[in-house]
Amino acid sequence: MATKHKEAWKTFAQVFDHFTELALHKLISKGVIDGLIGQTSIGKEANVFLAQAKDKTVIVKIYRLSTCDFNRMYTFIRTDPRFPKLNRQRRKVVFAWAQREFRNLLKAREAGVRVPTPILHLSNILVMELVGDAMPAAKAKDQLPKNPDEFIQDIISQMRKLYKAGLVHGDLSPFNILNHHEKPFIIDMSQSTTPEDPNAKEFLDRDTKNIAIFAKKIGVELTADEILQKVKA
């Protein structure tokens, strides 16, 4: 590990449990990443870092094993038909949650949805493409689009591709959409599920309502029902 990464490691190590620290060392020893650079955000369940991977910068998302709300995770994932035998064991739930996001991103990417490219999943760690120029692109809530109507129509197009690929985001809002060069990129797909999930309809309705609210905020008049029709078209 290079000296600068060793120094960064000392700074970040306090947020890692021993298992996660070993997993990160494994990623480094396998050449997946060279080391962590800096922390970009702390979410409800995960810490997100920038990492060096040879000549490029990537995102490393680490789901916390001890302080995450694994009961919430289990409530969301237990109805996903892709995880029928998952038991309510904290570590297994967190691992499945990270694996689920990896699978969702891979499926979305294959369907042409604008999402970060997933690179690797290991236990509670997800490595993926950095969407941004050196630093992560701003969220849509913080960097409003210059052409609101075009941006909203593009979001709906991404939602439609996702739906046709057999996925519902489940938590879509301007908090989970990046504005990168005036193009929306959908992120945070750990809760995304299939239409066969009994909660899928409720999740899709919530997604469309959130986008309708955002659209109105930036001057685009679209109802949730109109967005839903476009998504299912």
Side-chain angles (χ1 to χ4, degrees):
M1 199 185 305
T3 301
K4 66 177 180 179
H5 295 312
K6 284 182 179 178
E7 292 304 314
W9 192 273
K10 290 177 184 177
T11 303
F12 304 138
Q14 59 185 328
V15 305
F16 304 144
D17 57 87
H18 183 62
F19 179 90
T20 299
E21 189 172 348
L22 290 176
L24 284 167
H25 276 295
K26 190 173 183 178
L27 291 178
I28 292 170
S29 66
K30 287 189 171 184
V32 178
I33 60 173
D34 301 327
L36 302 180
I37 301 172
Q39 184 167 281
T40 66
S41 65
I42 301 175
K44 288 176 289 187
E45 281 100 19
N47 295 52
V48 181
F49 298 86
L50 290 174
Q52 192 67 34
K54 295 183 175 60
D55 60 346
K56 64 181 179 180
T57 305
V58 297
I59 291 290
V60 175
K61 188 172 186 177
I62 302 175
Y63 283 98
R64 297 186 296 274
L65 293 175
S66 58
T67 60
C68 67
D69 186 352
F70 94 101
N71 286 316
R72 174 185 175 274
M73 289 178 173
Y74 183 73
T75 299
F76 273 90
I77 203 171
R78 68 183 177 84
T79 57
D80 188 327
R82 297 171 296 176
F83 297 86
K85 297 180 180 179
L86 183 65
N87 63 43
R88 201 185 185 112
Q89 184 181 345
R90 176 184 288 272
R91 187 166 289 192
K92 288 184 178 179
V93 169
V94 176
F95 289 176
W97 193 256
Q99 181 194 52
R100 188 192 201 198
E101 179 158 28
F102 180 83
R103 290 173 61 177
N104 288 339
L105 286 170
L106 194 62
K107 191 170 186 179
R109 191 69 177 178
E110 289 172 348
V113 184
R114 207 177 289 118
V115 297
T117 301
I119 297 170
L120 182 139
H121 156 253
L122 176 64
S123 302
N124 59 321
I125 302 173
L126 178 63
V127 183
M128 57 189 144
E129 170 195 19
L130 167 68
V131 176
D133 302 315
M135 293 295 291
K139 294 180 179 181
K141 73 178 182 68
D142 298 319
Q143 184 171 311
L144 301 181
K146 296 175 182 177
N147 188 326
D149 186 69
E150 185 178 301
F151 195 82
I152 292 296
Q153 292 303 325
D154 200 341
I155 291 174
I156 295 171
S157 174
Q158 303 309 308
M159 293 174 70
R160 182 167 59 248
K161 289 178 183 178
L162 195 64
Y163 188 75
K164 288 184 179 297
L167 286 174
V168 174
H169 188 280
D171 192 26
L172 194 63
S173 76
F175 286 83
N176 291 329
I177 298 171
L178 302 181
N179 181 352
H180 183 46
H181 298 310
E182 295 301 308
K183 296 291 184 182
F185 281 74
I186 295 175
I187 60 170
D188 292 343
M189 293 189 63
S190 55
Q191 72 292 315
S192 301
T193 191
T194 69
E196 291 75 33
D197 188 317
N199 295 316
K201 183 182 183 301
E202 176 189 342
F203 293 165
L204 183 59
D205 286 344
R206 184 169 60 200
D207 286 351
T208 55
K209 287 175 183 176
N210 285 341
I211 298 307
I213 291 169
F214 178 55
K216 184 175 183 179
K217 178 181 178 180
I218 59 177
V220 180
E221 292 297 329
L222 272 176
T223 66
D225 285 341
E226 288 171 333
I227 293 173
L228 184 61
Q229 288 176 10
K230 290 175 181 286
V231 169
K232 290 186 171 183

